[in-house]
Amino acid sequence: MKAESKQPVHLSVSALSRVEGEGGLWIKIENGKVLRTELRIFEAPRFFESFLIGRHFYEPPDITARICGICPVAYQISSTAAIENSVGLTVPECIWQLRRLLYCGEWIESHGLHVFFLHAPGFLGYPSLMDMAKDYPKEVSWGLQIKKAGNALIRAIAGREIHPINVRVGGFYHVPEKKELESLLDSLKKGLDYSLQAIKWIGSVCSFPSFKKEYTFVALKNDSCYPIERGRLYCGEQALALEEFESYFTEEQTDYSHALRWLDSHAKPCVAGPLARFNLNYHPLPTFIKDILKETPLEYPCMNPFQSILVRLVEIAYAFDEAIKLIDKYEPPEPCYLPLEPCAAVGYGISEAPRGLLYHRYLMDDKGLIRGAKIVPPTCFNLASAEEDIKNWIESHLNDTAEKLTADCEQLVRNYDPCISCATHFLKLKFL
């Protein structure tokens, strides 16, 4: 049956494949109109904000890192920044530079996982990475080497690549010697070369649908460098103070999802992540990356969500280049952390996780115990926009079969690289 049929058509994906976490998709079409689009997040709530209540101020970096096995560094950096902000602790630039280097490792391994393992097979018509490897063994090898290099960088600075243990409020428990980081340079330089080749490869073999939309982007912004561990908060052209975050954006709950959604000040969908960062921070990108892009369909500004796979490769190349520069300039910070004297206060922290903006707020009492916590992961910004993309796509492709539309809708969701496990949230309970 085709979607243009006058009979009601239901598209359903019980469990989305090649995304992080557990979610499904349900769509109702009638007389050529999409009546309902539901991106259903049915993974169970995880209660992390409640776990933090009553815990000491130094515990959130290690507790919140357990929210995600792919982007734990993002949770550690946003949480430490929020607690330091609460007491006005100014961390030296050398500590921030080591945090940025650590974060580069996470961007490399997370984006590498998404591009090569999750997104590219679908674009090229393969059911899995293993099937794609039969025709593209060299390119799959690039992906494996890129992910390995990112993991090694995280392990060298933070102790281990999954749920790191070396980040603390005020700095690090231990900092690596320069020669330890220099031993990674060879793999980082090869990774940079692989990522640049991958940009040209994806740009030439993928057929990108001509699907564009005017999005409202939300991301950090910098004048001199691409934002990773810090920056100024922007929603479109509107600059915001961190204290305005929860009053400016709108939070909503749907009855079919365990994930909260965050919308702009007009309760409209907005987009976080690589596409938002690219469009708000194109100018600080190095010239050699911009030159490579001239050989691909990716242009600036980019309003085609299908091209997000190319933008992620751009960010992989940037992170490799940035990591090499940071290691060249690196001198071990002394001391490796600043002590913090707790007081009753509220603190805000925000950084750019691979998937987009990650916001933390903590309320502390005078003993340094957490009395309130708010965590907003990037997927909560993107869910509403993904549903809107699906609606627009279906209504402009009504001649396609239900099977074709279903596959396209999965790809549209995958454009956002959703982290469903991060996005699940506690529902309000009513006791009778």
Side-chain angles (χ1 to χ4, degrees), residues 379-400:
T379 296
C380 292
F381 276 107
N382 292 335
L383 291 172
S385 185
E387 286 185 353
E388 204 169 81
D389 284 358
I390 290 167
K391 178 177 184 297
N392 293 343
W393 178 266
I394 291 174
E395 290 184 347
S396 59
H397 293 77
L398 292 172
N399 289 327
D400 291 349

Side-chain angles (χ1 to χ4, degrees), residues 39-224:
L39 188 47
R40 296 175 172 177
I41 307 303
F42 49 76
E43 184 164 325
R46 299 174 70 204
F47 310 109
F48 270 92
E49 289 163 334
S50 296
F51 291 161
L52 291 167
I53 306 302
R55 307 306 292 255
H56 213 273
F57 72 88
Y58 53 75
E59 295 184 275
D62 289 327
I63 293 175
T64 60
R66 268 64 179 176
I67 292 175
C68 185
I70 300 171
C71 53
V73 172
Y75 284 91
Q76 292 191 319
I77 302 303
S78 284
S79 62
T80 52
I83 295 164
E84 291 159 5
N85 170 263
S86 71
V87 298
L89 180 68
T90 302
V91 175
E93 185 61 25
C94 55
I95 294 288
W96 274 113
Q97 292 299 298
L98 189 56
R99 289 174 175 173
R100 184 174 177 85
L101 179 59
L102 173 60
Y103 226 135
C104 284
E106 181 158 284
W107 273 31
I108 291 166
E109 66 85 15
S110 176
H111 281 345
L113 172 71
H114 175 80
V115 169
F116 292 92
F117 293 65
L118 306 179
H119 212 175
F123 255 117
L124 298 176
Y126 297 97
S128 71
L129 176 77
M130 300 307 292
D131 292 289
M132 190 175 81
K134 295 173 185 173
D135 294 329
Y136 293 101
K138 179 179 67 178
E139 290 78 4
V140 169
S141 173
W142 294 344
L144 293 170
Q145 294 302 312
I146 284 171
K147 178 134 181 48
K148 184 178 179 182
N151 284 348
L153 181 54
I154 296 174
R155 187 167 59 248
I157 299 171
R160 59 191 190 195
E161 56 267 46
I162 306 297
H163 306 321
I165 52 174
N166 191 34
V167 175
R168 62 174 295 170
V169 175
F172 293 85
Y173 290 101
H174 165 83
V175 292
E177 296 295 327
K178 188 177 180 74
K179 62 182 180 184
E180 294 178 68
L181 297 180
E182 287 178 332
S183 69
L184 302 173
L185 283 173
D186 185 54
S187 63
L188 294 173
K189 290 174 181 175
K190 287 180 180 174
L192 174 58
D193 182 53
Y194 297 150
S195 60
L196 294 175
Q197 292 186 65
I199 290 173
K200 291 191 278 189
W201 170 60
I202 289 292
S204 63
V205 299
C206 289
S207 177
F208 297 104
S210 57
F211 179 79
K212 295 183 179 180
K213 207 175 98 190
E214 289 296 321
Y215 294 101
T216 299
F217 294 119
V218 55
L220 299 182
K221 193 172 177 180
N222 282 327
D223 295 328
S224 59

Side-chain angles (χ1 to χ4, degrees), residues 107 191-193 195-197 199-200 226 278 281-300 310-325:
W107 273 31
L192 174 58
D193 182 53
S195 60
L196 294 175
Q197 292 186 65
I199 290 173
K200 291 191 278 189
Y226 209 73
F278 179 80
N281 295 276
Y282 175 78
H283 297 294
L285 285 173
T287 302
F288 74 91
I289 292 180
K290 293 176 182 175
D291 288 342
I292 289 280
L293 295 184
K294 293 175 184 174
E295 302 178 41
T296 75
L298 180 62
E299 296 177 340
Y300 166 78
L310 275 172
V311 177
R312 283 185 173 83
L313 282 167
V314 166
E315 291 194 338
I316 291 174
Y318 179 83
F320 272 122
D321 184 57
E322 185 72 357
I324 293 166
K325 291 175 180 173

